[in-house]
Amino acid sequence: MFKNHPKGLPVLFFTEMWERFGFYLMLGIFTLYMKAGANGAYPAKSGLGFDGATASDIYGTYIALVYLTPFIGGLLADRILGYRRSIVIGGVLMGLGYCGLAIPGYGVHFFLSLLLIIVGNGFFKPNISTLVGNLYNDDKYRSSRDEGFNIFYMGINIGALACNFVAAYLRINYGWGYAFLAAGIGMFIGVAWFLAGQKHTVHADVLKPTQPGDQAVGSILGQVFVPAFAFAAVGWFVPDLLLGDGGEKPFTFLGKQSNDAFLFACVPVAWFYSSLWRKAQGEDKERLGALLPLCAAVIAFWAIFHQNGDALTTWAEEHTEREMPVTMASAASQVGLAQEVFSQRRVPKLDANKKEIKGADGKPETVLEPEPYFKNSKTPAPAPTPECLPVGADLSEAQQAECSKKSVKLVSSELFQSVNAFFVVALTPLVVGVFAWLRRRKKEPSTPGKIALGMFITALSTLVMVTAAVMTHNGEIRGTMMWLVGTYFVVTIGELCLSPMGLSMVSKLSPPRLTALMMGAWFLSTSIGNKLAGILSALFNAFETKAYAFGINCLLALASCGLILAMLPRLKRVMAKYLG
Ligand code: GLN
C-alpha cells in the first residue's frame, strides 16, 4: 500500500490512526456518558446524569470548538513552532484530556479535560495533514499526492472503526473511565510512533519565511480573538432577548444560545480569512481566491455528514428495526456488545415540572413504562417481567440470567457510526482504483472536480433517507437497518471524493508559508458545518414530515455542488497555472 509513496507516509498514517482512535472513541461514548444516570452501586459505571438537551448542547459545542482551534494551531505552527513540535504538543495535550475524562464525576476536571482536547486538536490536526502534503513536494512524488491523502484518510478511519468496539466493550464490562483511558493510551501510542519515525518526516518540517506585508501572530490573535469574544457575547444574549430561547422552536433564529454565540464568533474569523485574501497580491491572491470559496462551499457537506451523530442516530434509535439475528446476538452478548431490551422498563417518576420525585430514602421514585422500542416494531415484546426492569444496570447475576431469557438483543445505535468508517476503509481502494484508471485514460477529474462530484453524491445519499422516510410512513413503522447502511454507503463515496481531496488541494494550493493556516480554514468549515448539523438535526426533530427534513439536506448539497461547478473553470485554471 505504501509502495511508491514517501517513507514518511506510514509514520504519519499510524500516528493519525491512533490519534483518531482516541478522538472517535471519546466522541462515540461522550453523549452516552453524559446522559447515563449516576449509579451508586457501581461507581465505576456511573455516568454524569445530564438531561438530553444539556448533553446535546455540550456535545455540539465541543465538536464545533474542537475543529475551530486548528486555525490557531495552524498559525502558530506556520510561524513559530514548526509542524512536528506542534503535533507532539497537541498529541500530549489530547492524551492528557482523555485521561482526565477517566476521572469519574462532574467537576472542573471535566471541562478542563475537554479544553485540553480542544486545544490539543488545534495543534495536532491541521499540522499532521500539512506534513503529509509536504512529503509530496518532492518532484518524485508530486503526482501521487491525491492518492497519498486517500491512504492517509484510510488510516484515520481504521482508527475510527476499531475504537467503537473497544469503547463498547470497556464501558459495558468495566466502566466509562477505562474506555476514556483507552483513548488516552491510544493517543500516547500515536505520539510515541511519531517520535520514533521522525527521521522520515524531518525534511517535510520546513517553515517558509514570512513576507514583508505579513501580519504578526500577536496582532492576528488580537484582531480575531477580541472581536470573536464580543461577537459571541452578542450572539449569546441578543437573539435570546429579541426572540426568546429558540431551543424548542427552530425557527426563532438559530436556536440554542450556544449555537448563536458560536456562529457569531465565527464572523471575525471568517472576516480574517477574507481580509487575508483582500490584502494578498498576485499569485497569493489567486491561490487564496480559489481555496477560500471552496472551504465555504464544503460547509454544506459537513453540515449533512455530521448529522450522523445526531439525526441519523435518532433515526437508528427510534425508527429502525434493530433486532440482531440469533447467531449474531449470542456472539455479541459474549463480548458484551448487545443492547438488551425488556418489555417494560423502570424510569424515574416525574412531577408536573418534569423534576424527579425523591422518595423518603432520598432515592428517586420510579414507575414502570412500556419499552418504546416495541411500539412500532414488528418484533413482539417478550412477556413482561417486572423483576428485571432496570435495563442492564444493577441486576444481580442471577437476575441477569433470568432476564436474558426474556429480553430482545438489539444492535445499539452508536455502532451505526462505525458503518461510515468501515466503508471508508473498504471503498478507498475502489475509489483510488477508479481514479487511477481514469488517469491512465487521461480522464481523471481535477481535484475541485472531484469535490463537486462528492457534493453531488452527498445529495444522492440524502435521497436514500427521503425514500426511507416515505417507505416507513414517516418512521411510524421501524424501517430496516439497510436504509442507514445504504445512506452511509453513498455518503462515504461522496466523502472519499471530497474530504481527502480537500486536504490534498489545501496542501498544494496554499501559498507555501500559509499552508497550516489554510488547513485551519479547511477545518473551520468542518467546525461551522458541525454546528449547522446540530441545527439541521433540530429541524429533523421538529419537522412532522421527516422526508422534508432530509429533503432540505438534499437541496443544500445541490446548491453547494452548483456553486463549486460555477467556480470550476477558475479553480482549474489557477491549479493548472501554479501546479502544472
Ligand atoms: N473523518 C475525518 C477526520 O476525522 C473528517 C475530518 C473533518 O471533519 N474535516 O479526519
Side-chain angles (χ1 to χ4, degrees):
M1 181 166 74
F2 298 114
K3 224 173 74 198
N4 304 328
H5 286 276
K7 284 225 173 60
L9 186 64
V11 175
L12 301 179
F13 176 98
F14 289 110
T15 306
E16 179 63 335
M17 184 190 87
W18 278 111
E19 183 270 322
R20 290 284 109 177
F21 171 90
F23 183 83
Y24 284 111
L25 191 159
M26 176 271 180
L27 208 59
I29 57 169
F30 189 35
T31 317
L32 296 170
Y33 171 61
M34 285 192 286
K35 285 203 218 166
N39 175 348
Y42 300 100
K45 286 196 172 179
S46 65
L48 298 182
F50 291 171
D51 64 59
T54 310
S56 297
D57 203 19
I58 296 180
Y59 176 88
T61 307
Y62 166 78
I63 185 82
L65 287 179
V66 91
Y67 280 111
L68 181 65
T69 46
F71 142 68
I72 308 158
L75 179 69
L76 291 175
D78 269 342
R79 297 288 183 83
I80 303 169
L81 291 169
Y83 306 121
R84 279 176 310 147
R85 207 179 311 160
S86 302
I87 289 169
V88 175
I89 295 174
V92 171
L93 292 180
M94 288 169 101
L96 291 175
Y98 299 136
C99 294
L101 286 179
I103 303 169
Y106 172 61
V108 181
H109 70 276
F110 175 71
F111 287 105
L112 206 63
S113 305
L114 292 182
L115 191 70
L116 283 173
I117 305 170
I118 289 168
V119 175
N121 195 55
F123 279 111
F124 190 101
K125 187 76 171 145
N127 297 317
I128 192 155
S129 314
T130 302
L131 215 47
V132 174
N134 284 358
L135 293 175
Y136 289 85
N137 286 344
D138 188 336
D139 276 342
K140 198 163 117 205
Y141 299 116
R142 212 166 274 268
S143 66
S144 7
R145 184 187 299 255
D146 276 3
E147 196 176 295
F149 271 102
N150 271 124
I151 296 174
F152 178 69
Y153 208 73
M154 220 158 114
I156 289 178
N157 284 280
I158 293 174
L161 169 64
C163 68
N164 293 316
F165 294 92
V166 175
Y169 177 76
L170 287 175
R171 82 168 168 99
I172 291 173
N173 297 297
Y174 297 98
W176 300 105
Y178 290 90
F180 287 122
L181 215 53
I185 293 171
M187 183 68 255
F188 289 129
I189 295 177
V191 172
W193 176 264
F194 180 72
L195 288 173
Q198 279 200 80
K199 67 171 185 290
H200 299 303
T201 56
V202 60
H203 65 284
D205 189 4
V206 272
L207 295 189
K208 303 287 182 324
T210 48
Q211 287 191 349
D214 287 348
Q215 243 180 315
V217 175
S219 117
I220 296 177
L221 294 181
Q223 197 193 53
V224 176
F225 269 117
V226 178
F229 276 113
F231 271 67
V234 172
W236 185 273
F237 294 112
V238 173
D240 214 34
L241 290 180
L242 293 181
L243 300 160
D245 181 4
E248 309 255 314
K249 300 165 260 159
F251 291 115
T252 48
F253 199 54
L254 298 170
K256 287 247 159 262
Q257 282 175 315
S258 56
N259 283 344
D260 301 351
F262 176 80
L263 291 171
F264 272 62
C266 285
V267 174
V269 185
W271 178 259
F272 162 75
Y273 278 109
S274 78
S275 68
L276 211 61
W277 171 75
R278 274 181 280 114
K279 284 186 205 144
Q281 279 169 0
E283 177 177 334
D284 279 7
K285 192 168 188 113
E286 278 192 304
R287 286 170 178 260
L288 293 175
L291 272 177
L292 291 171
L294 255 176
C295 290
V298 298
I299 289 176
F301 175 78
W302 298 113
I304 295 167
F305 181 84
H306 277 138
Q307 286 174 54
N308 57 359
D310 209 333
L312 288 187
T313 301
T314 307
W315 182 269
E317 181 73 24
E318 293 172 14
H319 307 292
T320 302
E321 196 83 76
R322 287 182 286 118
E323 197 188 351
M324 287 184 181
V326 184
T327 42
M328 185 173 156
S330 67
S333 318
Q334 296 264 323
V335 290
L337 279 175
Q339 180 191 342
E340 292 190 63
V341 284
F342 304 89
S343 55
Q344 292 171 304
R345 61 181 179 180
R346 200 172 273 287
V347 293
K349 198 170 174 182
L350 303 178
D351 63 18
N353 298 322
K354 298 201 168 169
K355 284 241 158 33
E356 284 184 7
I357 300 174
K358 296 244 160 57
D361 56 358
K363 288 196 180 150
E365 285 187 26
T366 55
V367 284
L368 282 177
E369 67 168 31
E371 166 58 59
Y373 177 80
F374 296 105
K375 193 170 143 232
N376 300 324
S377 165
K378 280 188 252 149
T379 310
T385 51
E387 70 278 15
C388 2
L389 296 168
V391 180
D394 45 357
L395 299 182
S396 71
E397 267 183 33
Q399 278 173 313
Q400 271 180 22
E402 175 64 14
C403 292
S404 59
K405 286 186 226 142
K406 294 167 186 161
S407 66
V408 171
K409 298 196 175 54
L410 304 180
V411 177
S412 74
S413 302
E414 76 267 27
L415 285 183
F416 283 93
Q417 299 206 41
S418 276
V419 176
N420 160 252
F422 168 77
F423 279 137
V424 171
V425 178
L427 296 176
T428 296
L430 190 77
V431 171
V432 170
V434 169
F435 284 140
W437 180 73
L438 288 171
R439 190 180 322 143
R440 282 195 298 277
R441 317 179 116 226
K442 305 239 173 309
K443 283 196 181 138
E444 187 185 15
S446 62
T447 309
K450 290 178 193 167
I451 295 181
L453 179 67
M455 251 2 268
F456 180 71
I457 297 174
T458 304
L460 295 183
S461 80
T462 65
L463 292 181
V464 176
M465 289 316 291
V466 171
T467 318
V470 174
M471 299 294 281
T472 58
H473 303 281
N474 205 26
E476 275 185 12
I477 16 174
R478 285 180 179 268
T480 148
M481 294 189 258
M482 284 301 137
W483 291 120
L484 282 171
V485 173
T487 196
Y488 279 128
F489 175 79
V490 182
V491 84
T492 305
I493 299 178
E495 179 188 4
L496 287 176
C497 296
L498 184 151
S499 184
M501 298 310 142
L503 295 175
S504 165
M505 200 170 80
V506 172
S507 86
K508 60 185 159 185
L509 204 54
S510 300
R513 64 186 201 294
L514 300 179
T515 317
L517 187 61
M518 293 312 294
M519 275 295 175
W522 176 256
F523 289 117
L524 179 66
S525 66
T526 304
S527 173
I528 299 175
N530 289 353
K531 257 296 173 204
L532 292 177
I535 294 170
L536 288 168
S537 293
L539 274 188
F540 169 83
N541 291 327
F543 268 32
E544 282 296 318
T545 310
K546 303 300 180 201
Y548 291 163
F550 291 126
I552 291 177
N553 288 339
C554 183
L555 295 180
L556 199 66
L558 288 178
S560 155
C561 177
L563 210 68
I564 302 172
L565 285 179
M567 293 187 292
L568 206 53
R570 185 164 60 90
L571 296 174
K572 277 182 163 167
R573 200 182 59 232
V574 175
M575 295 209 32
K577 183 163 164 194
Y578 295 113
L579 306 166

